[in-house]
Amino acid sequence: DQQVKQNSPSLSVQEGRISILNCDYTNSMFDYFLWYKKYPAEGPTFLISISSIKDKNEDGRFTVFLNKSAKHLSLHIVPSQPGDSAVYFCASTQGGSEKLVFGKGTKLTVNP
Amino acid sequence: GAVVSQHPSRVICKSGTSVKIECRSLDFQATTMFWYRQFPKQSLMLMATSNEGSKATYEQGVEKDKFLINHASLTLSTLTVTSAHPEDSSFYICSARVPGRNTEAFFGQGTRLTVV
């Protein structure tokens, strides 16, 4: 049973526009959520996180929104840049557990 | 941010041999490290949790005798793929979280293992 789901395997946007990556989770005990970016043949790089006590966290061009009632979070990138092209993973954890549960990832392509 | 270093980044070995991959936390102490495997076009699959000074905890379906994990110090965990076969070829990644609640995990650069 997949507890973290990224239903869109890929997304293509034009440079300068907004990229919206979505993630759903099933475990209501999750209380901390993270987004990672991954280039081929490299380890994931941490982007941004959000605690369940918040519904929005912003860092530069990246904003994460959390809707607890819908068990849904999204990552907004605006404006999108070609260098943002990568696979984006969302991850969740609960109760201070060190173990992260990852989604399958969404491959974002930003076209010049 | 914190740094996790993984070595080697790429290794090719013959079937039947063993390969050791190292994961180091460079600027923090990690009592727990995690080993993942990534198949093409798939998510990161957690293989095991490496615990400093004690036995690793393996996820269901992961052979502990095949993938030996040693976490001998607070900054080093090793994964040894024993008697490697071509089906073990994959991208292996380690991670560690900075101690404390609600902290991010930092990942190593990954190791591309090819068994020929």
Side-chain angles (χ1 to χ4, degrees):
Chain A
D1 177 36
Q2 202 175 353
Q3 298 186 72
V4 178
K5 301 178 184 178
Q6 292 178 258
N7 293 319
S8 297
S10 64
L11 173 69
S12 184
V13 299
Q14 207 62 31
E15 181 179 5
R17 308 291 283 267
I18 185 171
S19 295
I20 300 176
L21 299 126
N22 294 304
C23 180
D24 297 293
Y25 61 96
T26 59
N27 189 340
S28 57
M29 299 299 292
F30 285 149
D31 59 4
Y32 189 59
F33 306 88
L34 310 92
W35 283 95
Y36 284 84
K37 175 181 179 180
K38 185 182 182 300
Y39 294 114
E42 293 185 13
T45 303
F46 171 75
L47 270 179
I48 193 168
S49 64
I50 188 167
S51 163
S52 61
I53 62 173
K54 294 185 176 181
D55 53 20
K56 177 183 174 181
N57 189 25
E58 190 173 352
D59 183 2
R61 296 186 298 115
F62 302 93
T63 302
V64 55
F65 294 92
L66 175 63
N67 183 333
K68 289 186 290 294
S69 60
K71 295 192 182 69
H72 176 84
L73 64 152
S74 61
L75 174 67
H76 292 210
I77 306 173
V78 57
S80 302
Q81 300 173 354
D84 295 330
S85 298
V87 177
Y88 289 78
F89 291 97
C90 70
S92 306
T93 187
Q94 67 179 77
S97 168
E98 299 204 36
K99 187 184 293 189
L100 295 179
V101 180
F102 284 87
K104 288 194 172 183
T106 297
K107 182 177 181 181
L108 172 66
T109 303
V110 180
N111 301 303
Chain B
V3 178
V4 173
S5 178
Q6 188 172 340
H7 179 80
S9 59
R10 186 181 295 269
V11 58
I12 300 172
C13 71
K14 292 184 177 181
S15 287
T17 62
S18 295
V19 173
K20 180 186 284 188
I21 303 169
E22 293 187 348
C23 181
R24 295 180 185 272
S25 56
L26 297 185
D27 51 2
F28 67 100
Q29 293 184 331
T31 55
T32 306
M33 291 185 177
F34 302 90
W35 287 96
Y36 295 84
R37 181 173 179 177
Q38 185 181 29
F39 294 96
K41 298 184 180 180
Q42 292 198 25
S43 182
L44 302 168
M45 185 195 82
L46 179 64
M47 298 174 65
T49 303
S50 172
N51 304 299
E52 188 268 335
S54 64
K55 290 183 179 179
T57 305
Y58 289 83
E59 296 298 304
Q60 193 172 14
V62 178
E63 300 176 61
K64 59 182 180 181
D65 295 331
K66 173 77 169 174
F67 299 100
L68 298 180
I69 291 172
N70 184 277
H71 195 152
S73 78
L74 287 171
T75 58
L76 173 64
S77 174
T78 60
L79 168 68
T80 301
V81 183
T82 63
S83 187
H85 289 97
E87 57 265 32
D88 298 325
S89 298
S90 191
F91 192 62
Y92 294 87
I93 313 173
C94 70
S95 80
R97 287 180 77 177
V98 176
R101 189 185 178 96
N102 288 355
T103 58
E104 60 267 32
F106 293 91
F107 286 81
Q109 304 93 318
T111 298
R112 169 67 62 191
L113 170 63
T114 304
V115 185
V116 298

